[in-house]
Every structure is written in structure tokens, then in C-alpha cells.
Coordinates of all heavy atoms in Angstrom, one line a residue:
M1 N 0.8 -1.2 0.0 CA -0.1 0.0 0.1 C 0.8 1.2 0.0 O 1.9 1.4 0.7 CB -0.9 0.0 1.2 CG -1.6 1.3 1.6 SD -2.5 1.1 3.0 CE -4.0 1.9 2.3
F2 N 0.5 2.2 -0.8 CA 1.3 3.4 -1.0 C 1.3 4.3 0.4 O 2.3 4.8 0.7 CB 0.7 4.2 -2.1 CG 1.5 5.5 -2.5 CD1 2.8 5.4 -2.9 CD2 0.9 6.6 -2.2 CE1 3.5 6.5 -3.2 CE2 1.6 7.9 -2.4 CZ 2.9 7.8 -3.0
L3 N 0.2 4.4 1.0 CA 0.1 5.2 2.3 C 1.1 4.6 3.4 O 1.6 5.4 4.0 CB -1.3 5.3 2.7 CG -1.6 6.2 3.9 CD1 -1.2 7.5 3.7 CD2 -3.0 6.0 4.4
D4 N 1.2 3.3 3.4 CA 2.1 2.8 4.4 C 3.5 3.2 4.2 O 4.3 3.4 5.0 CB 2.0 1.3 4.4 CG 0.8 0.7 5.0 OD1 0.2 1.5 5.9 OD2 0.3 -0.5 4.8
K5 N 3.9 3.3 2.8 CA 5.3 3.7 2.6 C 5.5 5.1 2.8 O 6.5 5.5 3.4 CB 5.5 3.4 1.0 CG 5.5 2.0 0.6 CD 5.7 1.8 -0.8 CE 5.6 0.4 -1.3 NZ 5.8 0.2 -2.7
V6 N 4.5 6.0 2.6 CA 4.6 7.4 3.0 C 4.8 7.5 4.5 O 5.5 8.3 4.9 CB 3.4 8.2 2.3 CG1 3.4 9.6 2.9 CG2 3.5 8.1 0.9
L7 N 3.9 6.8 5.2 CA 3.9 7.0 6.6 C 5.2 6.4 7.3 O 5.6 6.8 8.3 CB 2.7 6.2 7.3 CG 1.3 7.0 7.1 CD1 0.2 6.2 7.6 CD2 1.4 8.3 7.8
S8 N 5.8 5.5 6.6 CA 7.0 4.9 7.1 C 8.2 5.9 7.1 O 9.2 5.8 7.8 CB 7.4 3.6 6.4 OG 7.8 3.9 5.1
L9 N 8.0 6.9 6.2 CA 9.0 8.0 6.0 C 9.0 9.0 7.1 O 10.0 9.6 7.4 CB 8.9 8.7 4.7 CG 9.1 7.9 3.5 CD1 8.7 8.7 2.2 CD2 10.5 7.3 3.3
I10 N 7.9 9.0 7.8 CA 7.7 9.9 8.9 C 7.6 9.2 10.3 O 6.7 8.4 10.5 CB 6.3 10.7 8.8 CG1 6.3 11.5 7.4 CG2 6.2 11.7 9.9 CD1 4.9 11.8 7.0
P11 N 8.7 9.4 11.1 CA 8.7 8.7 12.3 C 7.5 9.0 13.2 O 7.2 10.2 13.3 CB 10.0 9.2 13.0 CG 10.8 9.9 12.0 CD 9.8 10.2 10.9
S12 N 7.1 8.1 13.9 CA 5.9 8.3 14.8 C 6.2 9.2 15.9 O 5.5 10.1 16.5 CB 5.3 7.0 15.4 OG 4.2 7.2 16.2
D13 N 7.4 9.2 16.4 CA 8.1 10.0 17.6 C 8.0 11.5 17.0 O 7.7 12.4 17.9 CB 9.3 9.7 17.9 CG 9.5 8.3 18.4 OD1 8.5 7.8 19.0 OD2 10.6 7.7 18.4
M14 N 8.1 11.7 15.8 CA 8.2 13.2 15.3 C 6.7 13.7 15.3 O 6.5 14.8 15.6 CB 8.7 13.2 13.8 CG 8.7 14.5 13.2 SD 9.2 14.4 11.5 CE 10.3 15.7 11.4
L15 N 5.8 12.8 15.0 CA 4.4 13.3 15.0 C 4.0 13.6 16.6 O 3.3 14.6 16.8 CB 3.5 12.3 14.5 CG 3.6 12.1 12.9 CD1 2.6 10.9 12.5 CD2 3.2 13.3 12.2
V16 N 4.4 12.8 17.5 CA 4.1 13.0 18.9 C 4.7 14.3 19.4 O 4.2 15.1 20.1 CB 4.6 11.7 19.8 CG1 4.5 12.1 21.2 CG2 3.8 10.6 19.3
E17 N 6.0 14.5 18.9 CA 6.7 15.7 19.3 C 6.1 16.9 18.8 O 6.0 18.0 19.5 CB 8.3 15.6 18.9 CG 9.0 14.7 19.8 CD 10.4 14.7 19.2 OE1 10.9 15.6 18.5 OE2 11.2 13.7 19.4
L18 N 5.7 16.9 17.5 CA 5.1 18.0 16.9 C 3.7 18.3 17.5 O 3.3 19.5 17.8 CB 4.9 17.7 15.4 CG 4.4 18.8 14.5 CD1 5.2 20.1 14.6 CD2 4.1 18.4 13.0
A19 N 2.9 17.3 17.9 CA 1.8 17.6 18.6 C 1.9 18.2 20.0 O 1.1 19.1 20.4 CB 0.9 16.2 18.7
A20 N 3.0 17.7 20.7 CA 3.2 18.4 22.0 C 3.8 19.8 21.9 O 3.3 20.6 22.6 CB 4.3 17.5 22.8
E21 N 4.5 20.0 20.8 CA 5.1 21.3 20.7 C 4.0 22.3 20.3 O 4.0 23.5 20.8 CB 6.1 21.3 19.6 CG 6.9 22.6 19.3 CD 7.9 22.5 18.2 OE1 8.6 21.5 18.2 OE2 7.9 23.3 17.3
T22 N 3.0 21.9 19.5 CA 2.0 22.9 19.1 C 0.8 22.8 20.0 O -0.2 23.6 19.7 CB 1.6 22.5 17.6 OG1 1.0 21.1 17.6 CG2 2.7 22.7 16.7
E23 N 0.7 21.9 20.9 CA -0.3 21.7 21.8 C -1.7 21.6 21.2 O -2.8 22.1 21.7 CB -0.3 22.9 22.8 CG 0.9 23.2 23.6 CD 1.0 24.4 24.5 OE1 0.0 25.2 24.4 OE2 1.8 24.3 25.4
V24 N -1.7 20.8 20.2 CA -3.1 20.5 19.5 C -4.0 19.6 20.2 O -5.0 19.5 20.0 CB -2.9 20.1 18.1 CG1 -2.2 21.3 17.2 CG2 -2.1 18.8 18.0
D25 N -3.4 18.8 21.0 CA -4.1 17.6 21.7 C -4.6 18.1 23.1 O -5.2 17.3 23.8 CB -3.2 16.4 22.0 CG -3.0 15.7 20.6 OD1 -3.8 15.8 19.7 OD2 -2.0 14.9 20.5
I26 N -4.6 19.4 23.5 CA -4.9 19.7 24.8 C -6.4 19.6 25.1 O -6.8 19.0 26.0 CB -4.5 21.1 25.1 CG1 -3.0 21.3 25.3 CG2 -5.1 21.8 26.3 CD1 -2.4 22.7 25.5
F27 N -7.1 20.1 24.1 CA -8.6 20.0 24.3 C -9.2 18.9 23.4 O -10.5 18.7 23.5 CB -9.2 21.3 23.8 CG -8.7 22.5 24.6 CD1 -7.9 23.4 24.0 CD2 -9.0 22.6 26.0 CE1 -7.4 24.5 24.8 CE2 -8.7 23.7 26.7 CZ -7.8 24.6 26.2
S28 N -8.5 18.0 22.8 CA -9.0 16.8 22.1 C -9.2 15.7 23.0 O -8.3 15.2 23.6 CB -8.0 16.6 21.0 OG -8.4 15.4 20.3
K29 N -10.4 15.1 22.8 CA -10.9 13.9 23.7 C -10.8 12.7 22.7 O -10.5 11.6 23.1 CB -12.2 14.1 24.3 CG -12.2 15.2 25.4 CD -13.4 15.4 26.1 CE -13.3 16.6 27.0 NZ -14.5 16.8 27.7
K30 N -11.4 12.9 21.6 CA -11.5 11.7 20.7 C -10.4 11.5 19.7 O -9.8 10.5 19.7 CB -12.8 11.7 20.0 CG -14.1 11.5 20.7 CD -15.3 11.4 19.9 CE -16.5 11.0 20.6 NZ -17.7 11.0 19.8
L31 N -10.1 12.6 19.0 CA -9.2 12.5 17.9 C -7.9 13.2 18.3 O -7.9 14.4 18.5 CB -9.8 13.2 16.7 CG -11.0 12.5 16.1 CD1 -11.6 13.4 15.0 CD2 -10.7 11.0 15.6
Q32 N -6.8 12.5 18.2 CA -5.5 12.9 18.4 C -4.8 13.5 17.2 O -5.3 13.2 16.1 CB -4.5 11.9 19.1 CG -5.1 11.4 20.4 CD -5.4 12.4 21.5 OE1 -4.5 13.2 21.7 NE2 -6.5 12.4 22.1
A33 N -3.9 14.3 17.3 CA -3.2 15.0 16.2 C -2.7 13.9 15.2 O -2.7 14.1 14.0 CB -2.1 15.9 16.6
E34 N -2.1 12.8 15.7 CA -1.6 11.7 14.9 C -2.5 11.1 14.1 O -2.4 10.8 12.9 CB -0.8 10.7 15.7 CG -0.1 9.7 15.0 CD 0.5 8.8 15.9 OE1 0.8 9.0 17.1 OE2 1.0 7.6 15.4
V35 N -3.8 10.9 14.6 CA -4.9 10.2 13.8 C -5.3 11.3 12.7 O -5.6 10.8 11.6 CB -6.0 9.9 14.9 CG1 -7.2 9.4 14.1 CG2 -5.6 9.0 15.8
I36 N -5.5 12.5 13.1 CA -6.0 13.5 12.1 C -4.9 13.6 10.9 O -5.3 13.7 9.8 CB -6.2 15.0 12.8 CG1 -7.4 14.8 13.7 CG2 -6.3 16.0 11.7 CD1 -8.8 14.5 13.1
F37 N -3.6 13.6 11.2 CA -2.7 13.7 10.3 C -2.7 12.4 9.3 O -2.7 12.7 8.0 CB -1.2 13.8 10.9 CG -0.2 13.9 9.8 CD1 0.1 15.0 9.2 CD2 0.6 12.7 9.6 CE1 1.2 15.0 8.3 CE2 1.6 12.7 8.6 CZ 2.0 13.9 8.0
K38 N -2.8 11.2 9.8 CA -3.0 10.0 9.0 C -4.2 10.1 8.3 O -4.2 9.7 7.1 CB -3.0 8.8 9.9 CG -1.6 8.6 10.6 CD -1.7 7.4 11.4 CE -0.3 7.1 12.2 NZ -0.4 5.8 13.0
L39 N -5.3 10.7 8.8 CA -6.5 10.6 8.1 C -6.5 11.6 6.9 O -7.0 11.3 5.8 CB -7.7 11.0 9.0 CG -9.1 11.1 8.4 CD1 -9.5 9.7 7.9 CD2 -10.1 11.5 9.4
L40 N -5.9 12.7 7.1 CA -5.8 13.8 6.1 C -4.9 13.2 4.9 O -5.1 13.3 3.8 CB -5.2 15.0 6.6 CG -6.1 16.0 7.3 CD1 -5.2 17.1 8.0 CD2 -6.9 16.7 6.3
L41 N -3.7 12.6 5.2 CA -2.9 12.0 4.3 C -3.5 10.9 3.5 O -3.4 10.7 2.3 CB -1.7 11.4 5.1 CG -0.4 11.1 4.1 CD1 0.0 12.3 3.3 CD2 0.7 10.6 5.0
H42 N -4.3 10.0 4.2 CA -5.1 9.0 3.6 C -6.1 9.5 2.6 O -6.2 8.9 1.5 CB -5.7 8.1 4.8 CG -6.8 7.2 4.2 ND1 -6.4 6.0 3.4 CD2 -8.1 7.1 4.3 CE1 -7.5 5.4 3.0 NE2 -8.6 6.1 3.6
C43 N -6.8 10.5 3.0 CA -7.8 11.1 2.1 C -7.2 11.8 0.9 O -7.8 11.8 -0.2 CB -8.8 12.1 2.9 SG -9.9 11.2 4.0
L44 N -6.1 12.5 1.1 CA -5.5 13.2 0.0 C -4.9 12.2 -1.1 O -5.0 12.4 -2.2 CB -4.2 14.0 0.6 CG -4.6 15.3 1.2 CD1 -3.3 15.9 1.8 CD2 -5.3 16.1 0.3
I45 N -4.5 11.0 -0.5 CA -3.9 10.0 -1.5 C -5.2 9.2 -2.2 O -5.0 9.0 -3.4 CB -2.9 9.1 -0.8 CG1 -1.6 9.9 -0.4 CG2 -2.6 7.9 -1.6 CD1 -0.7 9.1 0.5
S46 N -6.1 8.9 -1.4 CA -7.0 7.8 -1.9 C -8.4 8.5 -2.5 O -9.2 7.8 -3.0 CB -7.4 6.9 -0.9 OG -7.9 7.4 0.3
H47 N -8.7 9.7 -2.2 CA -9.9 10.3 -2.6 C -9.8 11.4 -3.4 O -8.9 12.3 -3.3 CB -10.8 10.7 -1.4 CG -11.3 9.6 -0.5 ND1 -10.5 9.0 0.4 CD2 -12.4 8.8 -0.6 CE1 -11.1 8.1 1.0 NE2 -12.1 7.9 0.5
K48 N -10.6 11.5 -4.5 CA -10.4 12.6 -5.5 C -11.0 13.9 -4.9 O -10.4 15.0 -5.0 CB -11.3 12.3 -6.8 CG -11.2 13.3 -7.8 CD -12.0 12.9 -9.0 CE -12.0 14.1 -10.0 NZ -12.7 13.8 -11.2
D49 N -12.3 13.8 -4.3 CA -12.9 15.0 -3.7 C -12.8 14.8 -2.1 O -13.3 13.8 -1.7 CB -14.3 15.2 -4.1 CG -14.5 15.4 -5.7 OD1 -13.5 16.1 -6.1 OD2 -15.4 14.9 -6.2
N50 N -12.3 15.8 -1.5 CA -12.1 15.7 0.1 C -13.0 16.6 0.6 O -13.2 17.8 0.2 CB -10.7 15.9 0.4 CG -9.9 14.7 0.1 OD1 -10.1 13.6 0.3 ND2 -8.7 15.0 -0.6
S51 N -13.7 16.2 1.7 CA -14.6 17.0 2.6 C -14.6 16.4 3.9 O -14.1 15.3 4.1 CB -16.0 17.2 2.0 OG -16.6 15.8 2.0
L52 N -15.2 17.1 4.9 CA -15.3 16.4 6.2 C -16.1 15.2 6.2 O -15.8 14.3 6.9 CB -15.8 17.6 7.2 CG -15.0 18.7 7.4 CD1 -15.7 19.7 8.3 CD2 -13.7 18.3 8.0
R53 N -17.1 15.2 5.3 CA -18.0 13.9 5.3 C -17.2 12.8 4.6 O -17.5 11.7 5.0 CB -19.2 14.3 4.6 CG -20.2 15.2 5.3 CD -21.6 15.4 4.8 NE -22.3 16.5 5.3 CZ -23.1 16.3 6.4 NH1 -23.2 15.2 7.0 NH2 -23.7 17.5 6.9
T54 N -16.5 13.2 3.7 CA -15.6 12.1 3.0 C -14.6 11.5 4.1 O -14.3 10.4 4.1 CB -14.8 12.7 1.8 OG1 -15.8 13.3 0.9 CG2 -14.1 11.7 1.2
M55 N -14.0 12.5 4.9 CA -13.1 12.0 5.8 C -13.7 11.2 7.0 O -13.2 10.2 7.4 CB -12.4 13.2 6.5 CG -11.5 13.9 5.6 SD -10.8 15.6 6.2 CE -9.8 14.9 7.5
E56 N -15.0 11.6 7.3 CA -15.7 10.8 8.3 C -16.0 9.3 7.7 O -15.8 8.4 8.5 CB -17.1 11.4 8.5 CG -18.1 10.6 9.4 CD -19.5 11.2 9.4 OE1 -19.9 12.1 8.6 OE2 -20.3 10.8 10.3
S57 N -16.3 9.2 6.5 CA -16.7 7.8 6.0 C -15.3 7.1 5.8 O -15.2 5.9 6.0 CB -17.4 7.9 4.6 OG -16.7 8.6 3.7
A58 N -14.2 7.8 5.4 CA -12.9 7.1 5.2 C -12.4 6.7 6.6 O -11.7 5.7 6.7 CB -11.9 8.1 4.6
Y59 N -12.7 7.4 7.6 CA -12.3 6.9 9.0 C -12.8 5.6 9.4 O -12.2 4.8 10.2 CB -12.6 8.0 10.0 CG -12.2 7.7 11.5 CD1 -10.9 8.2 11.9 CD2 -13.1 7.1 12.4 CE1 -10.5 7.8 13.2 CE2 -12.6 6.8 13.6 CZ -11.3 7.1 14.1 OH -10.9 6.8 15.3
E60 N -14.0 5.3 9.0 CA -14.7 4.2 9.4 C -14.4 3.0 8.5 O -14.9 1.8 8.8 CB -16.2 4.5 9.5 CG -16.6 5.5 10.5 CD -18.0 5.9 10.5 OE1 -18.8 5.6 9.6 OE2 -18.3 6.8 11.3
T61 N -13.6 3.1 7.4 CA -13.3 1.9 6.6 C -12.2 1.0 7.2 O -11.6 1.4 8.2 CB -12.8 2.4 5.3 OG1 -11.5 3.2 5.5 CG2 -13.7 3.3 4.5
L62 N -12.3 -0.2 6.9 CA -11.4 -1.2 7.3 C -9.9 -0.8 6.9 O -8.9 -1.1 7.7 CB -11.6 -2.5 6.9 CG -12.8 -3.1 7.4 CD1 -13.2 -4.5 6.7 CD2 -12.8 -3.4 8.9
L63 N -9.7 -0.2 5.8 CA -8.4 0.2 5.3 C -7.7 1.2 6.3 O -6.6 1.1 6.8 CB -8.5 0.8 3.9 CG -7.2 1.3 3.3 CD1 -6.1 0.1 3.2 CD2 -7.4 2.0 2.0
F64 N -8.5 2.3 6.8 CA -8.0 3.2 7.6 C -7.9 2.6 9.0 O -7.0 3.0 9.8 CB -8.9 4.5 7.7 CG -8.3 5.5 8.5 CD1 -7.1 6.2 8.1 CD2 -8.7 5.8 9.8 CE1 -6.5 7.2 8.8 CE2 -8.0 6.8 10.6 CZ -7.0 7.5 10.2
A65 N -8.8 1.6 9.4 CA -8.6 1.0 10.7 C -7.2 0.2 10.8 O -6.8 0.2 11.9 CB -9.8 0.0 10.9
S66 N -6.8 -0.4 9.7 CA -5.5 -1.1 9.7 C -4.4 -0.1 9.8 O -3.3 -0.4 10.5 CB -5.4 -1.9 8.5 OG -5.3 -1.0 7.3
I67 N -4.5 1.0 9.3 CA -3.4 2.1 9.5 C -3.5 2.7 10.8 O -2.5 3.0 11.4 CB -3.8 3.2 8.4 CG1 -3.6 2.8 7.1 CG2 -2.7 4.4 8.7 CD1 -4.0 3.7 6.0
N68 N -4.6 2.9 11.4 CA -4.9 3.6 12.7 C -5.1 2.6 13.8 O -6.1 2.6 14.6 CB -6.0 4.5 12.6 CG -6.2 5.4 13.8 OD1 -5.3 5.8 14.4 ND2 -7.5 5.6 14.1
Q69 N -4.1 1.6 14.0 CA -4.3 0.6 15.0 C -4.1 1.0 16.5 O -4.7 0.5 17.3 CB -3.3 -0.5 14.7 CG -3.6 -1.3 13.4 CD -2.5 -2.3 13.2 OE1 -1.5 -2.4 13.7 NE2 -2.8 -2.9 12.0
N70 N -3.4 2.1 16.8 CA -3.2 2.6 18.0 C -4.4 3.2 18.6 O -4.6 3.2 19.8 CB -1.9 3.4 18.1 CG -0.7 2.8 17.7 OD1 -0.6 1.5 17.8 ND2 0.3 3.5 17.3
F71 N -5.3 3.9 17.8 CA -6.3 4.8 18.2 C -7.5 4.2 17.7 O -8.0 4.8 16.7 CB -6.0 6.2 17.9 CG -4.8 6.8 18.4 CD1 -3.7 6.9 17.6 CD2 -4.7 7.3 19.7 CE1 -2.5 7.3 17.9 CE2 -3.5 8.0 20.0 CZ -2.4 8.0 19.2
Q72 N -8.2 3.2 18.4 CA -9.3 2.6 17.7 C -10.6 3.2 18.3 O -10.9 3.2 19.4 CB -9.4 1.1 18.1 CG -8.4 0.3 17.2 CD -8.8 0.2 15.7 OE1 -9.9 0.3 15.4 NE2 -7.8 0.0 15.0
K73 N -11.4 4.0 17.5 CA -12.6 4.4 17.8 C -13.5 3.9 16.7 O -13.2 3.9 15.5 CB -12.7 5.9 17.8 CG -11.8 6.5 18.9 CD -12.4 6.6 20.2 CE -11.7 7.3 21.2 NZ -11.9 6.9 22.6
K74 N -14.7 3.5 17.0 CA -15.6 2.9 16.1 C -16.1 3.9 15.1 O -16.0 3.7 13.9 CB -16.8 2.2 16.8 CG -16.3 1.1 17.7 CD -16.8 -0.1 17.0 CE -16.3 -1.2 18.1 NZ -16.4 -2.6 17.5
S75 N -16.6 5.0 15.5 CA -17.2 6.0 14.6 C -16.9 7.4 15.2 O -16.6 7.6 16.3 CB -18.7 5.7 14.4 OG -19.3 5.9 15.6
I76 N -16.9 8.4 14.2 CA -16.7 9.8 14.6 C -17.8 10.4 13.8 O -18.5 10.0 12.8 CB -15.5 10.3 14.3 CG1 -15.1 10.0 12.8 CG2 -14.4 9.6 15.2 CD1 -13.9 10.8 12.3
R77 N -18.1 11.8 14.1 CA -18.9 12.6 13.4 C -18.1 13.6 12.6 O -16.9 13.9 13.0 CB -19.9 13.4 14.3 CG -20.8 12.5 15.1 CD -21.9 12.0 14.4 NE -22.7 13.2 13.8 CZ -23.5 13.1 12.9 NH1 -23.9 11.8 12.4 NH2 -24.2 14.1 12.4
Y78 N -18.5 14.1 11.5 CA -17.7 14.9 10.5 C -17.4 16.2 11.3 O -16.3 16.8 11.0 CB -18.4 15.2 9.2 CG -19.6 16.1 9.3 CD1 -19.4 17.5 9.2 CD2 -20.9 15.7 9.7 CE1 -20.5 18.4 9.2 CE2 -21.9 16.5 9.8 CZ -21.8 17.9 9.6 OH -22.8 18.8 9.8
N79 N -18.2 16.7 12.2 CA -17.9 18.0 12.9 C -16.8 17.8 14.0 O -16.4 18.7 14.5 CB -19.1 18.6 13.4 CG -19.9 17.6 14.4 OD1 -19.6 16.6 14.6 ND2 -21.1 18.2 14.8
S80 N -16.5 16.5 14.3 CA -15.4 16.2 15.2 C -14.0 16.4 14.6 O -13.0 16.8 15.3 CB -15.5 14.8 15.8 OG -16.6 14.5 16.5
I81 N -14.0 16.4 13.2 CA -12.7 16.6 12.5 C -12.6 18.0 12.4 O -11.8 18.7 12.5 CB -12.8 15.9 11.1 CG1 -13.1 14.5 11.3 CG2 -11.6 16.1 10.4 CD1 -13.5 13.8 10.0

């Protein structure tokens, strides 16, 4: 899968450090910065038209669940993104 190759180029520790440095996870309860980054990257690569509703449906697919193994949530709403 192409997305796995792209994500392997970015160390997970770097994403955690970036999230801590920018403090984006302070008020986040469901979606962490790492998950949002992976979701955005996944949607940019695999979908022609991107919107919050597209990202919502992409989050719930099995393909993204395999990418997002550390943060398992069954469903989200588009306004959570």
C-alpha cells in the first residue's frame, strides 16, 4: 500500500513531538493529532474530492482502521474533525 510507504518515512515520534510542541491535543478527547494527520494523508492520496464527510466515511473503513491501530474508535462525526 502506498500510504504505508509514505507513513514509514515519517517517524511516529516526530508526530508526537510536533503535537506536544503545538499543543493541539490539549482540548482533544476523541481525535489525537496523529490520527488527524494520518486521516488527512489517507484522504489526500485515496480520494478525489475531499470534505469532512468524506473524511468521516474514510475513518470508518477497514483500510484506515488497519493504518490507525493505536487509536481505535468505532465511529466519529464529521464535525469532530
Side-chain angles (χ1 to χ4, degrees):
M1 169 185 227
F2 182 70
L3 184 59
D4 288 335
K5 292 177 184 177
V6 172
L7 286 174
S8 69
L9 298 174
I10 304 166
S12 181
D13 296 338
M14 182 183 221
L15 293 176
V16 172
E17 286 177 22
L18 186 61
E21 183 179 314
T22 58
E23 300 179 347
V24 294
D25 289 338
I26 288 178
F27 300 109
S28 176
K29 294 180 182 176
K30 286 187 176 182
L31 295 173
Q32 303 298 317
E34 185 177 347
V35 177
I36 294 294
F37 179 78
K38 289 178 181 180
L39 183 61
L40 281 169
L41 196 58
H42 169 66
C43 288
L44 286 173
I45 291 173
S46 61
H47 293 86
K48 180 180 178 184
D49 297 323
N50 289 309
S51 67
L52 293 177
R53 293 188 192 271
T54 304
M55 291 172 68
E56 175 189 16
S57 62
Y59 182 87
E60 297 171 356
T61 62
L62 291 174
L63 179 62
F64 187 72
S66 67
I67 296 166
N68 188 33
Q69 294 174 356
N70 296 340
F71 305 96
Q72 287 292 333
K73 297 282 184 198
K74 298 252 181 197
S75 65
I76 58 168
R77 300 282 302 167
Y78 73 94
N79 55 2
S80 298
I81 304 170

